[in-house]
Amino acid sequence: MPLKTIVKNWPFIPCVAVVIFSASCTSAPATSDPVASAARCADVAASVKDAGFLDKVTVDCTGGNAVLTSNTYPDHDLMTGIIGTNEQVPVPAKAYAAPVPLEPVLGTTPQTRDAALGVAVNGVPIFDYTGGGEMTIAELSHHQAQHDTLQTNQLDVCGGHAGRGDDYHYHVKPKCMIAQMKNAGDAAIIGWAFDGFPIYGDKNPDGTPIENGGLDVCNGKRDKNFGYRYHTSAGAPYIVQCLMGEVADLRDLPRTAPLVSASGQGAPPGEPPRGGVQNLVFTQQKDGSRSMDYTYDGQAYYIRYKPSGKPDCYNFTTRTVTNKGAVKTGEYCR
């Protein structure tokens, strides 16, 4: 499948690097350095292509950004290993558009948000490691143990879970995605932050260990090729926890559209059962039906859904601890 990479409304420039990926180097608002933008567009496109996720992600370079569009639903194991469940399930979020600036500018003040800070090359959003809301600048330098999604057993074996919007995303290194990457290795880019800088694994791209104290408060460091880069790490904060590049307005960055009922009411978020659940299993069927089953205090609970026949809509049947075991049904749509 050819990679969809479009660079719109630029003045004519040489596009050798982009042509490798069958890109169109024609036309979007003129940028301050169209050659640099085209090169960065090619870098983002190559990171998706080389990883082998062309069937999951498209890359359109337009308006000064490389926009990675996906349904945020990865093709790997989901939810296995979660104990501290929030009683939410992953539901595809079609047309999630993640912008990566083509001409990033490194800033001096970290920026945080209670939402995605970047996107993995398989199209899944990347959050910071916490689950307790937006961190203040002062909190960035202190481990928030009580909100650590890894240490509180909220994450699956792949480093992700479903959030309050039933949206799957990563909070730590995406182990299962990396295992799927065709170009897996220290030199492979595993994602892009929303300030335009790349994300790598636990080591430098040349395979050397990152020196003790070599990463800043956002889990990044200077890079000779991109100006700056982020890394994952074995210890907290595990992954990008803030943005060091300039972002004009964090409110403009994407959020996954919530599930809503026919009446327009949002799907109510779950509440983590005290002490966690046991034997949580998430199963998927070819017809799009999915089920998360688990036990709590010896009782069986579940969240099940299947496509309703309407675009991006699903029929749910649930029995949760949050709802005190009451069976509830309803149709919800993105």
Side-chain angles (χ1 to χ4, degrees):
M1 177 179 177
L3 178 61
K4 180 183 179 184
T5 307
I6 305 173
V7 186
K8 301 177 180 175
N9 296 329
W10 288 358
F12 177 77
I13 55 174
C15 288
V16 176
V18 183
V19 169
I20 293 174
F21 306 109
S22 302
S24 171
C25 281
T26 58
S27 37
T31 58
S32 58
D33 189 343
V35 174
S37 292
R40 185 58 61 93
C41 174
D43 289 332
V44 177
S47 69
V48 174
K49 175 182 181 294
D50 294 346
F53 294 120
L54 297 188
D55 61 333
K56 287 287 185 180
V57 183
T58 60
V59 180
D60 295 328
C61 291
T62 180
N65 293 305
V67 182
L68 283 70
T69 303
S70 73
N71 69 356
T72 76
Y73 199 92
D75 185 21
H76 60 58
D77 192 10
L78 296 173
M79 311 303 280
T80 297
I82 292 178
I83 296 173
T85 179
N86 54 11
E87 295 198 296
Q88 308 283 159
V89 292
V91 180
K94 293 183 179 179
Y96 177 82
V100 177
L102 294 173
E103 294 187 37
V105 177
L106 190 61
T108 57
T109 303
Q111 299 188 76
T112 64
R113 70 189 296 246
D114 183 22
L117 295 172
V119 62
V121 290
N122 67 346
V124 175
I126 294 174
F127 284 51
D128 67 44
Y129 74 95
T130 67
E134 183 175 334
M135 286 189 286
T136 65
I137 298 300
E139 288 173 332
L140 293 174
S141 59
H142 302 285
H143 179 219
Q144 306 299 304
Q146 73 275 27
H147 299 307
D148 187 322
T149 52
L150 179 63
Q151 293 191 8
T152 53
N153 299 308
Q154 297 179 47
L155 304 181
D156 61 24
V157 294
C158 296
H161 71 170
R164 290 186 295 273
D166 295 291
D167 54 316
Y168 190 84
H169 53 256
Y170 301 120
H171 279 278
V172 299
K173 180 168 67 175
K175 297 178 182 178
C176 299
M177 183 204 75
I178 292 173
Q180 291 178 325
M181 292 173 64
K182 292 181 178 180
N183 63 337
D186 298 320
I189 292 172
I190 65 171
W192 294 86
F194 287 155
D195 57 6
F197 294 109
I199 306 169
Y200 289 86
D202 288 356
K203 294 183 179 180
N204 291 308
D206 63 4
T208 58
I210 294 175
E211 62 278 15
N212 187 33
L215 299 179
D216 63 23
V217 70
C218 291
N219 237 32
K221 63 185 297 188
R222 293 278 184 170
D223 181 84
K224 65 180 180 180
N225 294 319
F226 296 103
Y228 184 84
R229 67 177 187 260
Y230 297 96
H231 280 276
T232 62
S233 56
Y238 312 115
I239 203 163
V240 181
Q241 76 162 346
C242 50
L243 299 177
M244 280 303 300
E246 294 183 359
V247 178
D249 193 338
L250 294 174
R251 293 173 297 182
D252 291 337
L253 295 178
R255 293 178 182 269
T256 305
L259 291 172
V260 296
S261 65
S263 65
Q265 299 255 329
E271 297 180 6
R274 185 182 297 275
V277 302
Q278 300 80 44
N279 307 314
L280 187 150
V281 176
F282 185 74
T283 55
Q284 307 180 70
Q285 305 300 326
K286 292 182 179 180
D287 65 356
S289 300
R290 282 125 187 178
S291 179
M292 189 171 80
D293 297 83
Y294 48 99
T295 58
Y296 182 72
D297 281 350
Q299 297 292 312
Y301 297 91
Y302 54 84
I303 301 175
R304 298 169 184 161
Y305 71 88
K306 60 182 178 180
S308 70
K310 300 178 185 177
D312 303 325
C313 294
Y314 304 89
N315 289 326
F316 277 77
T317 302
T318 66
R319 182 177 189 265
T320 63
V321 181
T322 298
N323 291 325
K324 298 180 173 55
V327 176
K328 294 183 176 292
T329 61
E331 181 186 54
Y332 290 89
C333 307
R334 288 282 184 204

